[in-house]
Amino acid sequence: MGKMPLNLFQLNLEKIPGFDAMTAEDFSGATNEEKASMIETRPSVSYWKDAARRFRANKVSMAALILFLLIFLFSYLGPLFIPYNYADQYRNSSKLGPREFSAKEQLLQKAEDISDLFFATSLMPGSLTSLSRSTTYYFKTQGVTYSFYVEKAIGDSVLLFNRDAENKLTLIKEKDLGKDALDNAKTVEYSTEAIDTKAPNVVELKMLKRICPHFFGTDSAGRDLMARTMYGGRVSIAIGIIAALIVLIIGSIYGSVSGLAGGTVDFVMMRLVDIIYSVPDVLIVLLLQVVLKNPLQSWLDASPSNFARLMSNLGVGIISIFITFACLYWVGMSRIVRGQVLQLKQQEFVTAANALGVPGRRIVKRHLLPNCVGQLVIATCLQIPSAIFLESFLSFLGLGVSIPMTSLGSLCSDALDTITLYPYRLLAPGLILTLLVLSLNLVGDGIRDALDPRLKK
Amino acid sequence: MAGYILKRILVAFLTLLLIMTITFFLMNAVPGSPFLTEKSTPEMIARANAKYGLDKPLIVQLFNYIKNYLRGDMGTSLKMQEGTAVTKIIFQEGKFALSFKLGVCAVIVAVLIGVPLGCLAAYNRGRWVDSVLRVVTTLGVAVPSFVLCAVLLIFLGVRLQWVPVFSGSLDTWKAYVAPVIGLSFYPMCYVAKLTRTSMLDAIHQDYIRTARAKGLKTRFIIFKHALRNSMIPVITYLGPMTAGIVTGGFVVEQTFQIPGLGKYFISSILNRDYPIIMATTVVLAALVIIMNLVVDIAYKLVDPRISLTKGDR
Amino acid sequence: MENNTMKAAEKLLEVKDLKVSFYTPVGEVKAVDGISYDLKEHEVMGIVGESGSGKSVEAYSIIGLLQSPGKVIGGSIVFDGENVLEYDEEKMRQFRGNKVSMIFQNPMTCLNPVYTVGNQLMEALTCHNREIGRKEAWDRAVEMLKLVGINNAEKRMAQYPHEFSGGMRQRAMIAMALICSPKLLIADEPTTALDVTIQAQILELMKDIQKKTGMAIIFITHNLGVVAEICDRVSVMYAGQIVEQGSVQDIFYSPAHPYTRGLLRSMPRVDELEHERLIPIEGTPVDLLNPPAGCAFGPRCENCMKICLAHRPPLLDVGEDRHVSACWLHVKEMKEAQQE
């Protein structure tokens, strides 16, 4: 250590508070531990934890995430709670407004009010079509089995059970349904004698589920719009996620191959991307829809495999959407991945791995992918709403999913056909579609801000 | 510059040829003859095939098809208006003009309103104006155009009766209102968002710091130094925006019953009238490609860094 | 170098107990924590320190360019007898670029790519002097370009920044900064982003111009070699505080603060006959979110004492010509001298 050429007389003692009180101990050397203890180490937070913290701190994205989860639950768990199905057409229930009941349903509701239990034949899905003469019917309630048989076959009707009504069931025939139906009702006697419930001619009557209003109304064919909206939501969300995954997989493979290979291969691969990029995509999507529809249908009809059956449940429209995504929409993703790969290729750890003779596949897996995962997550998240958008657009034009399967887009399209008469039909699917895309956009933005705070403005 | 433009035109032309080829092969991949109806006998199909040259090898057909298109012959409609020349349907019956007028209006509205809104938001960053605009634009890019169109139709057309419910052939200025809003709302919101982001981005650049250090007025800095730089991403978006407006036109024309090219294209798809599908695709694709070309050249005027003589990037 | 400073020069700039904080979501960062210094007219002051030591923040607060969330929270900056911290927005604007101007680190990004160099030069002049005509402004800009050694100045005026090389752009930046003949130029690491040969040229140019115009310069850098080239006085900053200040001679030949000594030892010197080993300063720069209670340099200091752990050392005069240093070692020596 060099000499300190200090002119001690220059030191101004008044500037130093408590100079006289200082002891030699104060000026003894500090140990390394003491020095280290001066620095309060902040707990080091991992990248992902830090990102998660930032995401949680972002109120808008959290609200959007909750909104998305609500729509998700509505679509996937909702159908468990309503007795209607997306495909079933309920007789006499067509063109109902929101929360409305058909005349029959109103009567059933009245019956529900005045009786302890009630049964209906064929009015509701899953009920009997008629009661026949040679069969004993029974039903159980509170541990007691009641049985009865009818003298004459009875067609569509409602049977009311009242504990106080002295062994009699009230019977209302369908054709009598109306204002005074209850006054004109006939009765059927029942007994509480033990019967062999396993005998071939004995049939159990199931109590009807509670009458559920059509919250969103019904369409012109008598399908419940709420059930359809739920299933439409399912389809839209599933299409968005699957399409984004397809894009992710194809895009990352293509992009990383192009970026890693470099040179002529990269040049050729990227020119292909440029060309696909400059082709107006929606036009080609529409053409593909047209072209794929027939061959796909015939392939699905012909193929006996489970896969094909699953596919045909989805419908040709949806599959061709996936195919178009696989053909056209990966280019953006492949550009992102290639950019990341090229950037990372320059970095030391990759050069080091290369110098050590680590095989290319391993470099991709261990070094490149973990490093561009952030970008991939962001791009994938923002791909989902755009896939939903495209699907709804195609469905709206009548080129997406086909009846009776539905999606939010095709529901809007249906609603638009009768928009001047029944404007409310657009409300639920339109709103849910908008909120779905909105929430996914905001969640994607939130993830981007959380993963890459530099991008935040 | 001239060399670049020439090269760029060549690339655009090649892209168009590629699209024509894709369309051709896609249409040929559809099983069955386009003349296959319940009544047609094998002889009739063979005769029709011979008449339209469909009995020749595919590559010859492709060559003929491109040659015909270059001569301005786009074939004749097979189903929708049987026997009428496609060029006549598209161009002479006003379909193209109708869609074109609507699209141009939408582009103008989107840019002339979107850019100022974005500037306003960036200038008032963090204040209520910014918040309101942010909510509107975020919603705007999430509402599907058909939902928006339906809402416009109900409110402006049915409830308030300010504009005709169905716009028809756009005979009065009022007929334009709803379709133009419906068509331009998404791009307008997108442009506003883009302008705001790139404006804020530009404000954080070093050259803005230099400008401030020089003692320029804030307003002057924003309008001279930040705006021009932040217009670069907006100009880039004009290409995709044209494509978006072309496809948005399908929805808008469908909703407001405007007998334009978009509506006709969709019905030709639903009716599988192949010559019309092919011709419309090519015309619309050409429109988008030309717009991309214009955008690339407009770029140079705004950003001198892009050296147009060396490559396209 | 110091022989061209006029001894009786007036105080041009007086910074007193300046405090600047950044209010970030994770807490307050005291980027500048109570620094004071004077700058005389025609004087060239070097501010040296590691990145993050607050040297640029301090300079930005003089010229009113602090970006939010940065905020001056205390002290005063008196320029030519006026406290610039009290200026309103318009007054500050007229002050910037006119009386004090600034050049920056990265000349590649500091010029607006979409306007010609001439345009950007002229607007620096016209925004402070509205009467100036276009022709006059053009001539003045050409003159400035010539002054900073740009050949073919007329032709260069019409060119865009991307047609300039890095060194040329920095020259253009200097021309732009000088166009209103300011009294003080703040140079924020003007040579850091340039090639070594270009660095030397720019330094030579700045020295030359300083001699010609006689303006004062605050030269911010982390490179002590550059300081030796151009400065009269040097302030060494660490963790938002000035730890040592003095003339170039004092700092280079009789450094008082362990940090300054550490900096000098980590700097390669060509003039030494024997090749001394370069010794880096151990440890990492201080975390400004959580600064240590005592001396900020304590944890990295090889002479660290018990008192350093708890108390911040005061700035003490340690020599002639305003040579000050903030270290308990001086107090220790004094104590020992007293006891003898």
Side-chain angles (χ1 to χ4, degrees), chain A residues 109-183:
Chain A
Q109 208 173 26
K110 207 165 162 194
E112 194 183 338
D113 289 341
I114 58 161
S115 64
D116 296 329
L117 274 176
F118 72 101
F119 312 92
T121 61
S122 93
L123 283 169
M124 303 295 292
S127 59
L128 297 170
T129 33
S130 61
L131 299 175
S132 57
R133 198 159 57 89
S134 52
T135 311
T136 305
Y137 296 93
Y138 74 96
F139 56 93
K140 286 190 245 176
T141 175
Q142 293 177 336
V144 186
T145 306
Y146 304 90
S147 64
F148 67 92
Y149 65 91
V150 287
E151 323 252 275
K152 236 163 69 184
I154 297 172
D156 300 344
S157 51
V158 187
L159 286 159
L160 306 184
F161 168 73
N162 242 333
R163 243 174 271 288
D164 313 328
E166 295 169 0
N167 292 6
K168 273 179 184 148
L169 289 171
T170 313
L171 172 86
I172 305 165
K173 287 190 178 162
E174 189 189 351
K175 62 176 191 291
D176 293 336
L177 283 173
K179 280 175 288 181
D180 336 308
L182 280 170
D183 306 331

Side-chain angles (χ1 to χ4, degrees), chain A residues 197-215:
Chain A
T197 54
K198 296 219 168 71
N201 265 358
V202 176
V203 170
E204 183 177 2
L205 276 181
K206 292 260 190 271
M207 199 189 116
L208 277 179
K209 285 184 192 162
R210 296 184 67 80
I211 296 294
C212 181
H214 299 283
F215 285 103

